[in-house]
Amino acid sequence: IEPIAAPSAISRVVIQVDPGPVFTFGSVAITPRAPTFEPTEGLATGEVARVSTLRAGTAAQIEGWRQAGHAKAAVTRQDITARHPEKTINAAITLDPGPQLRFGKLAISGESAVREKRIREIMGWPEGAVFDPDDIDKVENRLRRTGSFAAATLTEAEVANPDGTLDVTATISDQLPRRYSFGAEVSTLDGLSVNALWLHRNIFGGAEQLQIYGDVSGAGGETDGIGYRLGARLT
């Protein structure tokens, strides 16, 4: 475009991209290797050198170290070299597993109508045990399974304690305490059916659920009379 007499409008722009040759992995090393990890498909010499594959392989090694209790495993150095004549990528990723940690104190954040003592009983926090990310998932699932909480998230502290423990904060929020539902159905053969349900998600303050339900069916139908049902369930 002329810098002095530029056009008043540009109606068409064409961008041409030269992708260049496809590079493959030459040497790939992610060290130190975790005791256990899931191998990453495509992360080997001769495979197409995708950045996403290299990231996935690094993440798998970090997760492997975390599974072994090294909660703060992280990348400390990465040397990635493109060798143009050979069309290869050499990658050397260095990890710092950090020390093996144990679960420390658990802090609870957020407003909840459920008693804190009961929340801790539900969570079954493994204080003092070797760190395992699967235990974090289990604790979150225990809270969610109660049905009393809309959200339950555990966050690890950024820095471990001098005694080799790692504190965790649980952020929770309650579901609405009550739920009501009503339904009706009309059939020329079965007649009118109605049903209702009332649910309290925290009836005694300990995440107990009380559900009362009932239905009436067959009203005005051609069946053998009217059927009634009334029930309750405490979980």
Side-chain angles (χ1 to χ4, degrees), residues 60-113:
Q61 291 284 357
I62 290 175
E63 181 61 20
W65 281 111
R66 282 174 56 81
Q67 292 286 345
H70 299 260
K72 295 304 178 182
V75 174
T76 57
R77 181 182 176 87
Q78 46 189 325
D79 295 316
I80 301 175
T81 306
R83 299 183 63 85
H84 290 263
E86 295 86 358
K87 299 180 178 60
T88 58
I89 294 287
N90 295 337
I93 309 297
T94 304
L95 306 178
D96 177 13
Q100 188 181 67
L101 301 176
R102 293 172 287 111
F103 284 116
K105 300 293 184 181
L106 174 69
I108 297 177
S109 174
E111 297 293 330
S112 176

Side-chain angles (χ1 to χ4, degrees), residues 10-174:
I10 299 173
S11 59
R12 185 168 180 260
V13 175
V14 177
I15 300 176
Q16 293 181 328
V17 177
D18 178 9
V22 174
F23 277 63
T24 58
F25 283 122
S27 61
V28 181
I30 303 175
T31 56
R33 296 181 64 176
T36 59
F37 65 96
E38 290 292 334
T40 302
E41 184 178 356
L43 189 61
T45 300
E47 298 285 351
V48 175
R50 294 184 173 90
V51 175
S52 58
T53 304
L54 190 58
R55 286 175 177 164
T58 304
Q61 291 284 357
I62 290 175
E63 181 61 20
W65 281 111
R66 282 174 56 81
Q67 292 286 345
H70 299 260
K72 295 304 178 182
V75 174
T76 57
R77 181 182 176 87
Q78 46 189 325
D79 295 316
I80 301 175
T81 306
R83 299 183 63 85
H84 290 263
E86 295 86 358
K87 299 180 178 60
T88 58
I89 294 287
N90 295 337
I93 309 297
T94 304
L95 306 178
D96 177 13
Q100 188 181 67
L101 301 176
R102 293 172 287 111
F103 284 116
K105 300 293 184 181
L106 174 69
I108 297 177
S109 174
E111 297 293 330
S112 176
V114 181
R115 298 186 301 273
E116 181 175 331
K117 180 182 178 182
R118 180 60 182 146
I119 294 174
R120 292 183 181 275
E121 289 174 350
I122 294 169
M123 296 173 77
W125 183 244
E127 184 174 344
V130 174
F131 175 88
D132 187 338
D134 291 341
D135 287 339
I136 298 281
D137 295 337
K138 289 176 183 176
V139 171
E140 290 179 338
N141 288 334
R142 287 172 191 152
L143 288 172
R144 295 186 183 117
R145 282 204 314 265
T146 66
S148 297
F149 305 104
T153 305
L154 270 64
T155 306
E156 303 162 20
E158 291 293 331
V159 180
N161 299 317
D163 62 354
T165 61
L166 183 67
D167 296 336
V168 175
T169 299
T171 304
I172 60 176
S173 60
D174 287 355

